[in-house]
Amino acid sequence: MRVLGVDPGLTRCGIGVVEGVAGRPLAMVGVGVVRTPAESSVPERLLGIERGLEEWLEEHRPEAVAVERVFSQHNVRTVMGTAQASAVAMLCAARRGLPVALHTPSEVKAAVTGSGRAEKAQVGAMVARLLRLDSPPRPADAADALALAICHIWRAPAHNRLQQAKAAHAARYAATPKGVQR
């Protein structure tokens, strides 16, 4: 499975592509950051992020996209910019018919380091170790994007089984005559 991880942000949007399957060594395919100038308007910045993401999607052809789920912060401006960049990533994936998974920061940290409260340096160090890199990718947004992709690859099998179970349950429920006790 090839996954594009996106750590959304208006100034720096981390992007990382990881390939592999759960239980086997993973490989980094590419890592980088889409940058936009702080002095540009928000619509121009979002357009720049969209262009950058489209280039990565075209070049690396992932099978899924994993995006950091926006969580509540005290700085509303930061949350808004992150949410807008996140929406651009989801839009680009949807345009190509790619499945999108949202993972919380603590979920990603727990998957990669074993602790949902890990510091950025710990995440970067584990990403480097898991992908057999000489050093953690810089800036931290790039390492976070790779961590998102790793998290998704490791959690996708369990998530898929859960979705299949839900679908089977819904099908059984729909096939049961109304008024019949289950």
Side-chain angles (χ1 to χ4, degrees):
M1 170 184 275
R2 183 177 279 202
V3 177
L4 175 80
V6 180
D7 182 38
L10 277 180
T11 303
R12 289 183 319 271
C13 184
I15 301 175
V17 181
V18 175
E19 191 166 62
V21 295
R24 305 248 173 157
L26 303 173
M28 180 184 77
V29 176
V31 65
V33 177
V34 174
R35 297 177 189 274
T36 64
E39 61 276 1
S40 294
S41 69
V42 172
E44 289 173 346
R45 295 173 85 182
L46 293 173
L47 186 58
I49 291 168
E50 188 256 355
R51 286 181 186 139
L53 286 168
E54 285 294 341
E55 287 174 14
W56 277 81
L57 288 165
E58 184 64 30
E59 180 179 346
H60 296 289
R61 305 276 184 194
E63 298 165 61
V65 176
V67 181
E68 183 175 275
R69 182 185 300 271
V70 178
F71 63 99
S72 177
Q73 291 179 337
H74 298 294
N75 186 340
V76 175
R77 260 181 85 185
T78 301
V79 170
M80 288 302 295
T82 302
Q84 290 164 334
S86 177
V88 169
M90 290 186 278
L91 173 69
C92 290
R95 186 182 290 140
R96 292 171 179 264
L98 297 172
V100 175
L102 300 174
H103 299 285
T104 65
S106 59
E107 181 183 355
V108 174
K109 291 174 185 178
V112 174
T113 70
S115 169
R117 295 177 181 222
E119 299 293 324
K120 286 222 178 251
Q122 290 173 290
V123 173
M126 282 305 295
V127 164
R129 185 174 182 188
L130 292 167
L131 297 175
R132 297 170 308 287
L133 306 175
D134 293 334
S135 61
R138 296 279 179 231
D141 308 276
D144 290 348
L146 290 171
L148 276 151
I150 292 167
C151 174
H152 184 70
I153 289 170
W154 285 351
R155 292 180 177 238
H159 178 73
N160 291 342
R161 285 192 300 277
L162 180 60
Q163 293 303 102
Q164 290 169 352
K166 282 181 173 179
H169 176 73
R172 280 194 306 275
Y173 180 79
T176 305
K178 293 191 187 309
V180 175
Q181 293 290 331
R182 290 180 248 288

